[in-house]
Amino acid sequence: MLQKDNIFYWFGLLFVLAITSGRAQEQFLYSKSLKENRAIQIYLPDDYGNSSKSYPVLYVLDGEYVFDYAKGAVDFLSNDFGFLPQMIVVGIPNTDRNRDLFVTLEPDGAYLNFIQFLNQDVIPYIEEHYRTNPFSLLYGWSSGSGVVNYIFVKTPQLFDAYILSGAGIGPKTEAFIKSELKPNVYEGIHLYASAEGSSFRAPALKKHEELIRLKKLEGLHKQFRVYDQLNHSEVLSQGLYDGLKFVFHDFYISDSISSAGSHATISYYESLKKKYGFKTEIPVGAINEICAKLVEENKSKEAIQLVDHGIKTHPHSATLLATKGEVHQYLKQFKLAADHYKKALQKAKDTIAKNKYNILYKNATSNKNN
C-alpha cells in the first residue's frame, strides 16, 4: 500500500522518460539563388501526426554534422520533463560549405546567395507544408555562426532566437556590427553565443560580448559563454544544447511557482504566451511532480484538478492517466486507481511502460478485492 512518506518514490516510478526517434524525412528544393538542388532534413515531433498543434522551428546549418544531434537534443529536452516545447527541426546540409558559410562581408559575396536560399526557399517551404507557429530559431557552428550573426545584425526579425557556437568576431565583423546594428529592433530576440576556451575564439567572443553590451540593445535576451574545457568540435553540441535551454529557460517551471499549487502552475504557463508568442502547455513532468507535492500536503482534490487539466491538454499521455491512478490509490480508492492504470496500459506505446502499468493495475485490483 502507498505510504505518505514515500510518495515521491511512487510518483517517480510512474514517470516514464521516453526518448523517441520522432519522424525524420528529406526533401529537395531547387534554389534559384544557388542554381542547384538542395536537400533539407526535417524532423517532426513524435505526436505531430496525432495532434493539430503548431510547433516552433529550429533551423540548423551544417545539417550533415548537426541534424542528428539537434533532433536528439530537442527530443530529449522536450520530453516529459519539459525543458522546452516540442519542435520541428530543419537541417540544411552543405554542398559547397566554403562558398555558402564563409561570410566575407563583401557586397557580392556568395554567402548572400545562401542566405537568400534560406530566406526565400527553405523557410517558406517549411511554413507552407508544416504546422509551424511564429517562433523560430537559427543555429550555426564555426563558419555557420558567421551566417547566423550576419542575419542577427541585418534582419534580426527573421528569427526569434540565434544560437552561435564556435563563434568569435574579427576586426571586419566588429566594424560591420558597429555600422549596421540597429539598437531598437531587438525586443524579445534571444542571442546565445559560445566558443571553446582553447583557441583564439575565446577572446574574440569576449570582444563580441562587450560590443553587444555597449550597443545597449533594448529587450534583447543574451548570454555569451566560453567553455574552457572543450575544443572546437565539442562546442558544436554543447553550445546548441545550452543555447536551447537558455532560449527556453522560463519554460521549465521553478519550485517557487510550482509549490504554490495547481492554479499558479496553470497561470504561469498561460503567461508564457506573452513571451514566446505561442500557447504553451504544462509539461507532463511538471504536472506529475506538482501532483506529488499536493498529495503530500493533503491537497488531493487540487492534485486531481491539475492532473485532469493535464489529461485534457495531453490526451495521449499514459503517464498522466497513471498519475491520476496513483492519487486515487493514495486515497485508497482502489477501483478508480485500477480504472486509470488500465487506461494508461491501453495508451502505453512501449513494452517497458506496458509492463509497469500492468503491474500497477494488478496491484490496485488486488487491493480493490481485499
Side-chain angles (χ1 to χ4, degrees):
M1 184 175 65
L2 181 64
Q3 299 297 321
K4 184 176 180 178
D5 60 0
N6 66 357
I7 185 71
F8 284 102
Y9 168 79
W10 281 98
F11 273 86
L13 182 65
L14 287 174
F15 184 56
V16 181
L17 174 60
I19 305 176
T20 60
S21 60
R23 300 193 303 171
Q25 53 190 250
E26 294 181 355
Q27 299 289 345
F28 283 85
L29 304 179
Y30 179 76
S31 168
K32 292 182 180 179
S33 58
L34 295 171
K35 296 181 175 59
E36 62 188 20
N37 284 313
R38 294 296 296 262
I40 58 172
Q41 305 152 300
I42 305 159
Y43 161 82
L44 301 176
D46 193 53
D47 71 349
Y48 186 91
N50 297 321
S51 76
S52 59
K53 293 188 299 184
S54 59
Y55 300 85
V57 185
L58 168 65
Y59 295 88
V60 295
L61 307 183
D62 284 318
E64 68 269 40
Y65 308 131
V66 181
F67 179 69
D68 284 342
Y69 177 81
K71 65 185 180 68
V74 166
D75 212 16
F76 173 73
L77 290 171
S78 63
N79 65 28
D80 283 353
F81 283 115
F83 291 104
L84 51 86
Q86 290 188 322
M87 290 191 286
I88 296 170
V89 181
V90 178
I92 306 169
N94 298 299
T95 54
D96 187 337
R97 190 177 192 274
N98 289 335
R99 178 197 67 188
D100 293 343
L101 301 189
F102 186 65
V103 177
T104 63
L105 293 176
E106 298 297 327
D108 58 350
Y111 68 96
L112 294 171
N113 293 328
F114 176 78
I115 292 173
Q116 188 174 358
F117 163 63
L118 177 64
N119 188 15
Q120 296 184 3
D121 296 320
V122 178
I123 295 173
Y125 178 85
I126 295 299
E127 292 182 347
E128 180 181 352
H129 291 86
Y130 298 94
R131 297 195 308 273
T132 65
N133 68 33
F135 198 92
S136 63
L137 310 87
L138 179 64
Y139 169 79
W141 166 76
S142 194
S143 297
S145 71
V147 172
V148 176
N149 183 60
Y150 183 90
I151 296 173
F152 171 80
V153 173
K154 291 290 285 186
T155 53
Q157 300 300 317
L158 187 58
F159 297 93
D160 300 276
Y162 297 84
I163 303 175
L164 299 72
S165 64
I169 64 172
K172 288 182 67 176
T173 303
E174 181 180 4
F176 166 72
I177 292 174
K178 286 180 178 179
S179 66
E180 297 291 336
L181 193 145
K182 301 173 180 63
N184 60 344
V185 293
Y186 286 89
E187 182 67 39
I189 302 295
H190 301 73
L191 173 66
Y192 183 89
S194 64
E196 68 278 9
S198 59
S199 77
F200 65 91
R201 292 181 181 86
L205 186 72
K206 291 293 185 181
K207 181 186 292 185
H208 191 182
E209 180 180 16
E210 179 65 11
L211 181 56
I212 293 297
R213 185 186 69 80
L214 292 174
K215 281 291 185 177
K216 297 180 180 179
L217 306 181
E218 186 175 347
L220 175 69
H221 308 282
K222 63 184 183 299
Q223 183 173 339
F224 291 78
R225 183 171 179 179
V226 172
Y227 296 100
D228 291 327
Q229 305 303 317
L230 301 184
N231 62 36
H232 191 51
S233 297
E234 291 170 323
V235 80
L236 180 154
S237 56
Q238 194 65 54
L240 174 56
Y241 184 92
D242 290 340
L244 288 170
K245 290 190 70 176
F246 169 74
V247 172
F248 291 105
H249 71 276
D250 287 333
F251 193 77
Y252 189 77
I253 193 168
S254 67
D255 290 340
S256 62
I257 297 174
S258 64
S259 63
S262 61
H263 296 298
T265 300
I266 293 170
S267 296
Y268 176 76
Y269 280 96
E270 288 176 348
S271 73
L272 290 184
K273 182 176 181 180
K274 183 176 180 180
K275 176 172 184 178
Y276 294 117
F278 63 92
K279 182 180 179 181
T280 59
E281 299 168 347
I282 308 174
V284 169
I287 296 171
N288 192 66
E289 183 178 350
I290 296 166
C291 280
K293 293 178 182 178
L294 291 171
V295 170
E296 188 180 52
E297 296 168 359
N298 292 318
K299 299 177 181 177
S300 298
K301 183 178 180 180
E302 192 172 349
I304 290 176
Q305 289 175 343
L306 179 59
V307 76
D308 281 343
H309 176 86
I311 289 170
K312 288 181 181 179
T313 57
H314 300 278
H316 302 288
S317 174
T319 301
L320 291 180
L321 289 167
T323 297
K324 188 170 182 181
E326 183 62 20
V327 175
H328 286 301
Q329 184 168 333
Y330 177 75
L331 296 172
K332 299 183 179 179
Q333 299 169 344
F334 298 113
K335 184 180 184 305
L336 288 173
D339 289 343
H340 283 88
Y341 289 142
K342 185 176 181 180
K343 292 177 182 178
L345 177 61
Q346 292 169 343
K347 283 189 177 292
K349 296 180 180 179
D350 59 82
T351 55
I352 295 175
K354 288 178 180 179
N355 181 63
K356 177 183 295 186
Y357 299 142
N358 185 48
I359 291 172
L360 292 170
Y361 169 70
K362 288 180 178 179
N363 289 343
T365 302
S366 175
N367 279 313
K368 177 185 71 174
N369 295 330
N370 287 339

